[in-house]
Amino acid sequence: MPVKLTTDQQAWLEAQVAAGAIPSVEEAVRAAIADLKSIADDDFAWATPYVDAARASLAAGSVSDGDKFIASLRERATRLKSG
């Protein structure tokens, strides 16, 4: 089955093969399809405990203001960058 790629996609894939990151363009396509299938087939049951824990925290009032949290992360990143 012929597959048409953009020039950029083909160049990137060929560069990955040349660098040894992937064995072949065909293998990259097979891996991409396998990844897409696993995403499509995932029922996210593994996430249930995390969702349950988040709901329990919310019900207990253990929540943070999102804007304040993001601001604190930005402040920390600035401090870390400045050394």
Side-chain angles (χ1 to χ4, degrees):
M1 162 195 339
V3 176
K4 278 202 159 228
L5 301 174
T6 67
T7 303
D8 288 343
Q9 291 169 332
Q10 185 169 345
W12 184 85
L13 282 170
E14 289 171 354
Q16 297 303 305
V17 171
I22 54 175
S24 68
V25 171
E26 292 81 8
E27 182 57 32
V29 172
R30 284 191 286 274
I33 290 169
D35 287 348
L36 289 170
K37 283 180 67 177
S38 71
I39 291 168
D41 295 342
D42 193 347
D43 67 357
F44 294 97
W46 58 267
T48 300
Y50 299 105
V51 173
D52 292 344
R55 287 180 174 154
S57 290
L58 185 60
S62 299
V63 295
S64 299
D65 178 271
D67 291 333
K68 289 180 184 176
F69 177 73
I70 296 296
S72 71
L73 288 178
R74 287 189 176 130
E75 288 172 16
R76 184 172 182 205
T78 300
R79 284 194 310 271
L80 290 172
K81 285 180 185 176
S82 63

